[in-house]
Amino acid sequence: MPSTQTTKKAFKAEVKQLLHLLAHSMYSNPDVFLRELISNSSDALDKLKFLSLESDVLSDDNELGVHIEADKDHKTLTIKDNGIGMTSEDAENNLGVIARSGTRAFIDQLAKAKDDTKHDLIGQFGVGFYSCFVVAESVTVLTRKVDSDADKGVKWTSTGDGEYSIEECELDQRGTSIILKLKEEHQSYLEDWKLRKIISTYSDHIGYPVSLRVEVKDEEKKETEIKDEVINQAKALWTLPKKDIAKEQYQEFYKHISHDFEEPLSWSHNQVEGKYMYTTLLYMPKRAPMDLFYREHKGGLKLFVQRVFIMDEADAFLPGYLRFMKGVVDSADLPLNVSREILQTNEVTKSIKASCTSRGLKMLEDMAKNNTEDYASFYEQFGNVIKEGPSEDFENVDRIYELLRFASTHQSDSKPSVALKDYADRMKKDQDKIYYIIADSYQAASSHPALEVFKQKGYEVLLMSDRVDEWLMSRLTEYAGKKFQNITKGELDLDKPAQEEGKEEAKEEPKEPEMTEAEKSLCERMKTLFGDKVKSVRTTKRLISSPCCVVADDNDMSNNLRRVLQEAGQVLPNQQPIFEVNAEHPLVKRIESMDDDRFQKYSNMLLSQAMLIDSGKLDDPAAFIATINELLTEV
């Protein structure tokens, strides 16, 4: 065999840190390294089987499977498959780099986490191949891509200390072998009984035979034979009748396809026979992946056609607001050569997507009704994704409304546990609107001055503080015949009775509250002082203990939405807020009689105070502080 040059390379910084953290974390269940490696082998076999649909790549070796061999003398464990294999470039891309968004954030969280939470974080991200460094002091990968020459094999080696070496080698067969040199404390993974148990527990559902090389004593011949024994059932789980599948099997299959370390919250297994024939197995995860809101995030289901693997992350079968769901679709009607582009326009795909969407919503409806604790846990992780639904799925918008949860003034904590139906059931008899407020945090929303009159009169207000809430409320205009009202926009009069049902009256423009001559004079004086800083100045009935606030006009963009868009880098046209004063507040009464100099200082202070409460920042905070300090010296 011709000599080849070995090249040493450094892992990318993120991989180096991840390997260090994995090796030194108290990894609560190291058994899963074998599940991860067997899953990777299964994926490689799936890809080869798909490739064989277009070319004759299986002619020399068509018995696909995963083979495991323990060598106690050399303290090595080998996991081998005859799948698609890798080129040198593939090996570098797949083994030397984590090609995943959110890696940096994941590593930072893992480094800060306590030992008893590291396992959850690892499962939240999914580390795949790198989990083998938990049990191995060194790892060697021998691989050869299908249809490549024997001398184009690749040998990849690393001890997980920040570097790896890669070189070409000669390999007789395609596929990949991963050879683990086990650490002293993990020598038990060389025992047959332990390997059997792990394979049966985690990989029984793999669609290819997983064989283990074992020693078998022949009592008649009085000698020991070496044979390969198939350990798993090697049947695609979703093809089995539901009554024959145990809960534990469903859970382990989820971990196999998702590379998650936690069990799913729920699942739905359905076989459909009618105009189209297909099987779906859908899972609701417990925890959101680190990259769920990254633009590069890839979601979707595994697609099979007549049990032949076609593609990972087929996103045409779920709407964007359910992109976190995992599972399998197996269709009897799609062509084997289907592409992502064809999926987007295919009638079969549209039918399956409608079914998967409906079943996904049904899973959530059942959870919300029958297991409120699980749904609260789910909503904490995925609630902001569900809020995207009304803008995307008009057909199911009413079902999505019922799944939404909010914080409100009815409760004392920030947990989003109030359903719209809960709010509607508690509405006052004469209440004709559903009131809400959106701010940049729960604290800002729950302490906003605009809430004061609602609390005094006993009206419940929904408290929103997520960025997506502004877009949600642009779609969520009414529920159960009641319109939504942002309490920081437009006029407000809670004393006005609701219009009687069925009584037709001409729609009147909202009238400003009647003001005394002194109040009119105060408002005019303030408007002259503020100039273009505000659209208008008026007295208000929405304040009880606060002297002032700013609100947006009915047809203007809310101040909070402007803040969100500006923080996202958008340039917006100028928009003046409406400045409202509480004419009954002692400070406002004092300002009325002040001379021009003190009136200017106190009025500007009040406006800055209102802007600070509403948006959390000021254009000129130094000037505000200077005014406060100057006024304090006069006390």
Side-chain angles (χ1 to χ4, degrees):
M1 182 178 73
S3 61
T4 58
Q5 184 177 359
T6 300
T7 304
K8 285 195 172 183
K9 297 190 177 185
F11 283 113
K12 297 294 183 182
E14 291 87 352
V15 181
K16 190 183 299 185
Q17 288 179 272
L18 180 59
L19 293 176
H20 175 81
L21 289 167
L22 284 174
H24 295 84
S25 297
M26 291 190 66
Y27 207 61
S28 62
N29 186 16
D31 291 359
V32 296
F33 85 91
L34 189 56
R35 182 194 73 195
E36 292 296 297
L37 296 183
I38 293 175
S39 290
N40 288 348
S41 292
S42 174
D43 290 343
L45 294 167
D46 280 340
K47 291 173 183 176
L48 178 68
K49 195 171 182 181
F50 177 67
L51 187 62
S52 70
L53 299 175
E54 299 178 351
S55 59
D56 187 18
V57 294
L58 296 178
S59 57
D60 60 335
D61 184 9
N62 55 14
E63 294 294 329
L64 302 181
V66 183
H67 177 70
I68 298 174
E69 182 176 351
D71 185 338
K72 293 182 180 179
D73 293 334
H74 295 91
K75 300 178 181 179
T76 61
L77 181 66
T78 301
I79 298 91
K80 179 180 180 181
D81 67 71
N82 55 347
I84 196 167
M86 291 182 284
T87 62
S88 179
E89 183 180 0
D90 292 336
E92 289 194 51
N93 290 335
N94 293 330
L95 306 180
V97 179
I98 299 182
R100 182 165 185 178
S101 53
T103 304
R104 177 75 265 162
F106 164 70
I107 291 173
D108 289 344
Q109 288 196 35
L110 187 61
K112 296 175 185 176
K114 296 179 180 180
D115 287 337
D116 57 355
T117 61
K118 287 183 186 291
H119 178 261
D120 289 343
L121 283 172
I122 290 170
Q124 191 176 349
F125 187 75
V127 293
F129 167 77
Y130 303 102
S131 62
C132 63
F133 285 100
V134 175
V135 299
E137 61 183 35
S138 68
V139 178
T140 300
V141 179
L142 301 174
T143 183
R144 186 186 124 194
K145 189 72 173 275
V146 64
D147 274 352
S148 64
D149 296 333
D151 61 354
K152 294 299 182 181
V154 178
K155 181 179 181 181
W156 182 98
T157 308
S158 178
T159 56
D161 58 358
E163 290 185 337
Y164 64 91
S165 63
I166 190 166
E167 61 182 298
E168 287 191 347
C169 65
E170 188 166 320
L171 296 174
D172 295 333
Q173 294 179 320
R174 65 159 195 271
T176 301
S177 296
I178 300 175
I179 306 165
L180 310 181
K181 177 75 172 178
L182 296 178
K183 298 175 182 177
E184 285 297 327
E185 64 270 28
H186 293 299
Q187 297 293 308
S188 61
Y189 290 109
L190 299 174
E191 301 294 337
D192 290 354
W193 66 268
K194 183 148 191 169
L195 294 172
R196 287 174 186 272
K197 181 181 178 182
I198 295 172
I199 295 168
S200 297
T201 300
Y202 293 117
S203 304
D204 197 50
H205 52 266
I206 295 291
Y208 303 95
V210 179
S211 61
L212 176 65
R213 181 153 292 183
V214 295
E215 294 183 355
V216 180
K217 290 184 179 180
D218 190 324
E219 298 296 339
E220 294 182 1
K221 297 181 179 179
K222 304 297 181 181
E223 60 184 32
T224 300
E225 296 181 355
I226 304 297
K227 61 177 292 187
D228 294 330
E229 180 182 341
V230 175
I231 306 299
N232 66 325
Q233 291 188 26
K235 291 183 179 179
L237 187 80
W238 65 90
T239 65
L240 303 175
K242 288 190 283 187
K243 63 181 178 62
D244 295 338
I245 306 175
K247 172 183 175 182
E248 293 75 17
Q249 289 176 294
Y250 277 122
Q251 291 170 337
E252 290 308 323
F253 183 71
Y254 165 75
K255 293 176 182 178
H256 161 63
I257 62 171
S258 67
H259 296 282
D260 194 349
F261 284 52
E262 293 189 273
E263 295 173 355
L265 282 172
S266 63
W267 57 86
S268 176
H269 184 188
N270 299 279
Q271 295 179 335
V272 178
E273 295 183 2
K275 182 179 179 181
Y276 302 119
M277 295 179 61
Y278 56 89
T279 300
T280 59
L281 176 51
L282 306 175
Y283 288 94
M284 203 63 67
K286 183 178 291 185
R287 196 180 301 273
M290 299 291 297
D291 61 347
L292 181 60
F293 290 100
Y294 282 72
R295 185 176 299 176
E296 300 86 356
H297 172 76
K298 294 181 179 179
L301 307 176
K302 281 184 175 288
L303 173 61
F304 291 76
V305 173
Q306 300 179 48
R307 304 184 189 180
V308 176
F309 171 76
I310 303 299
M311 69 178 71
D312 275 316
E313 298 165 342
D315 57 6
F317 297 101
L318 288 171
Y321 68 93
L322 294 179
R323 61 184 178 273
F324 50 82
M325 292 181 64
K326 302 294 182 181
V328 168
V329 171
D330 191 345
S331 170
D333 300 291
L334 287 169
L336 289 171
N337 62 346
V338 67
S339 65
R340 292 186 184 274
E341 292 72 24
I342 293 175
L343 283 179
Q344 299 298 327
T345 58
N346 189 281
E347 289 300 320
V348 178
T349 303
K350 292 178 181 178
S351 177
I352 298 176
K353 179 179 181 178
S355 174
C356 289
T357 302
S358 181
R359 294 189 189 283
L361 292 174
K362 181 66 164 59
M363 292 166 69
L364 294 177
E365 290 163 350
D366 290 344
M367 193 189 307
K369 179 180 179 181
N370 303 319
N371 196 329
T372 54
E373 288 187 10
D374 276 357
Y375 191 72
S377 173
F378 162 83
Y379 202 83
E380 182 180 355
Q381 294 290 319
F382 301 103
N384 281 350
V385 191
I386 295 297
K387 289 177 182 179
E388 299 171 11
S391 299
E392 181 181 350
D393 188 355
F394 302 111
E395 184 176 344
N396 292 297
V397 70
D398 290 336
R399 297 179 69 181
I400 298 170
Y401 286 169
E402 300 297 341
L403 296 173
L404 298 174
R405 296 293 183 270
F406 304 94
S408 89
T409 54
H410 181 75
Q411 58 190 35
S412 58
D413 58 47
S414 61
K415 293 181 179 178
S417 58
V418 176
L420 292 176
K421 186 178 185 304
D422 299 333
Y423 183 103
D425 290 344
R426 290 193 291 263
M427 288 177 67
K428 288 178 172 290
K429 186 177 180 181
D430 61 345
Q431 184 178 344
D432 64 345
K433 291 185 176 67
I434 297 174
Y435 298 108
Y436 71 94
I437 183 172
I438 308 178
D440 63 345
S441 69
Y442 169 78
Q443 185 62 37
S446 62
S447 59
H448 198 283
L451 286 173
E452 291 170 358
V453 70
F454 291 89
K455 291 179 178 179
Q456 184 189 64
K457 295 181 178 292
Y459 286 90
E460 184 176 359
V461 179
L462 300 176
L463 307 175
M464 306 182 194
S465 55
D466 294 317
R467 284 175 172 258
V468 71
D469 287 331
E470 289 284 1
W471 282 269
L472 170 67
M473 298 314 295
S474 69
R475 296 291 183 184
L476 188 56
T477 55
E478 70 173 58
Y479 174 81
K482 307 289 186 180
K483 292 188 178 298
F484 285 84
Q485 172 67 53
N486 186 336
I487 66 170
T488 64
K489 287 188 69 174
E491 295 280 0
L492 178 68
D493 189 356
L494 295 181
D495 295 326
K496 181 181 178 180
Q499 181 174 309
E500 295 180 17
E501 186 175 356
K503 185 176 180 180
E504 296 183 2
E505 294 182 0
K507 185 176 180 181
E508 298 180 358
E509 292 296 323
K511 297 178 179 178
E512 293 186 3
E514 294 184 5
M515 294 189 289
T516 64
E517 289 302 318
E519 291 169 354
K520 288 180 181 179
S521 175
L522 173 67
C523 292
E524 290 172 359
R525 193 177 177 191
M526 284 185 169
K527 179 64 175 82
T528 301
L529 172 65
F530 297 148
D532 292 338
K533 291 181 181 179
V534 299
K535 178 178 286 189
S536 64
V537 179
R538 67 192 183 200
T539 58
T540 184
K541 294 183 178 181
R542 78 178 87 225
L543 300 176
I544 304 297
S545 59
S546 296
C548 59
C549 68
V550 290
V551 298
D553 209 348
D554 275 317
N555 298 318
D556 285 345
M557 187 182 299
S558 72
N559 297 329
N560 185 70
L561 179 56
R562 288 182 61 83
R563 176 188 61 79
V564 171
L565 293 175
Q566 287 171 340
E567 289 178 356
Q570 294 198 31
V571 178
L572 302 175
N574 290 331
Q575 175 181 296
Q576 292 81 29
I578 297 171
F579 184 61
E580 294 189 341
V581 293
N582 177 4
E584 302 301 319
H585 195 276
L587 183 55
V588 175
K589 288 182 176 294
R590 284 184 59 192
I591 291 177
E592 293 179 11
S593 58
M594 288 181 179
D595 59 51
D596 288 345
D597 182 57
R598 286 169 59 80
F599 181 84
Q600 176 182 345
K601 293 175 183 177
Y602 274 89
S603 297
N604 282 328
M605 179 198 69
L606 289 179
L607 177 60
S608 296
Q609 172 186 300
M611 294 296 293
L612 186 61
I613 290 174
D614 190 70
S615 62
K617 66 177 183 178
L618 296 172
D619 292 335
D620 191 355
F624 174 64
I625 296 299
T627 300
I628 293 292
N629 291 338
E630 185 177 352
L631 294 176
L632 286 174
T633 61
E634 299 176 4
V635 176

